[in-house]
């Protein structure tokens, strides 16, 4: 628990979140003996932040030990520190300081998510798979009540409600993020790149995988995807039996139709000042056309 110091609240460190005592010693573990957490949802990117981390490790070493747990083969599974491990490999380190902690599979999932969800910038796809992994783990451990998952009246929170309290998102928001795990990778990348919003992405997640792929191809080729098109697909009966051509037709038909070509008209009163009163409507029209043709020819010559 965070302690109050001089009237201020001390934020919990990753070690405290993982339940590792501050006095816990570290071990120098060979990098080759540490493997990534299975289906680790947080991306390790060779970006500008990674370059900064590499420079820091090259100058100062690894200041905060990683957190690992022993596996059945005598090696170690990473819980917290995938980015530090990657940077250490780039620097060329052979060993890395680590705290070894025994934990069950579900405990490891929960601790891994807790340690990484604290990052400042989290992609929607990272949130999606992290929330799903932790929710599944919480559901499996729901039969073992703790003070964290019990209400004041003795009843237990739903897993999504419990997670909502822990991460600061609403249960509804968590459910939406978990739906993103049903998207094909190409559409999920568009969500990460902010080409598709969360609400539209959730709607797309209910479509069949093949239909999602066709929607992605349509988006990629045309450069747009409108909410009305997704709504049309969502409400189309028996969409599982359609062809790609049908999907394209449904999406195109859902777009607003262009309004009919507007007509240009002149009132007789406006034209009376230019024509003698005996000129018929047809005669006036012919003269106007002749004048326009002459005007158009003059424009061409002047170019």
């Amino acid at each position: 628990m965070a302690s109050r110091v001089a009237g201020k609240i001390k934020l919990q460190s990753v070690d405290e979140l993982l339940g590792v005592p501050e006095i816990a010693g570290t071990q120098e573990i060979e990098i080759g003996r540490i493997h990534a957490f299975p289906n680790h949802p947080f991306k390790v990117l060779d970006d500008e932040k990674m370059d900064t981390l590499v420079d820091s490790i090259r100058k100062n070493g690894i200041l905060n030990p990683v957190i690992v747990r022993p596996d059945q083969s005598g090696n170690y599974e990473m819980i917290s520190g995938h980015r530090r491990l990657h940077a250490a490999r780039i620097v060329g380190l052979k060993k890395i300081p680590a705290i070894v902690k025994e934990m069950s599979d579900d405990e490891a999932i929960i601790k891994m998510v807790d340690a990484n969800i604290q990052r400042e910038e989290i992609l929607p796809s990272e949130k999606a798979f992290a929330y799903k992994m932790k929710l599944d783990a919480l559901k499996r451990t729901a039969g073992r009540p703790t003070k964290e998952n019990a209400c004041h009246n003795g009843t237990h929170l739903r897993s999504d409600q419990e997670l909502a309290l822990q991460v600061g998102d609403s249960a509804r928001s968590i459910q939406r993020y978990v739906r993103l795990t049903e998207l094909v990778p190409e559409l999920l990348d568009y969500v990460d790149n902010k080409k598709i919003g969360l609400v539209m992405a959730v709607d797309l997640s209910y479509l069949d995988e093949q239909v999602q792929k066709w929607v992605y191809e349509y988006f990629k080729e045309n450069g747009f995807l409108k909410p009305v098109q997704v709504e049309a697909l969502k409400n189309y009966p028996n969409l599982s039996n359609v062809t790609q051509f049908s999907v394209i037709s449904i999406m195109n038909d859902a777009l607003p139709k262009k309004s009919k070509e507007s007509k240009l008209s002149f009132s007789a009163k406006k034209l009376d000042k230019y024509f003698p009163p005996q000129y018929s409507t047809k005669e006036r029209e012919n003269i106007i056309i002749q004048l326009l043709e002459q005007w158009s020819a003059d424009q061409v010559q002047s170019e």
Side-chain angles (χ1 to χ4, degrees), residues 269-285:
K269 186 176 181 180
K270 286 184 178 180
L271 295 177
D272 284 345
K273 63 184 291 189
Y274 301 107
F275 294 97
Q278 68 271 21
Y279 273 49
S280 66
T281 300
K282 186 63 177 177
E283 289 173 326
R284 293 184 179 194
E285 182 179 318

Side-chain angles (χ1 to χ4, degrees), residues 223-240:
F224 68 86
L225 183 63
K226 304 295 185 181
V228 66
Q229 293 176 302
V230 179
E231 190 69 21
L233 289 173
K234 210 173 82 169
N235 295 329
Y236 191 84
N238 202 16
L239 193 61
S240 60

Side-chain angles (χ1 to χ4, degrees), residues 142-154:
R144 300 192 293 274
T146 66
K147 62 182 180 181
E148 285 81 14
N149 66 6
C151 297
H152 295 299
N153 61 7

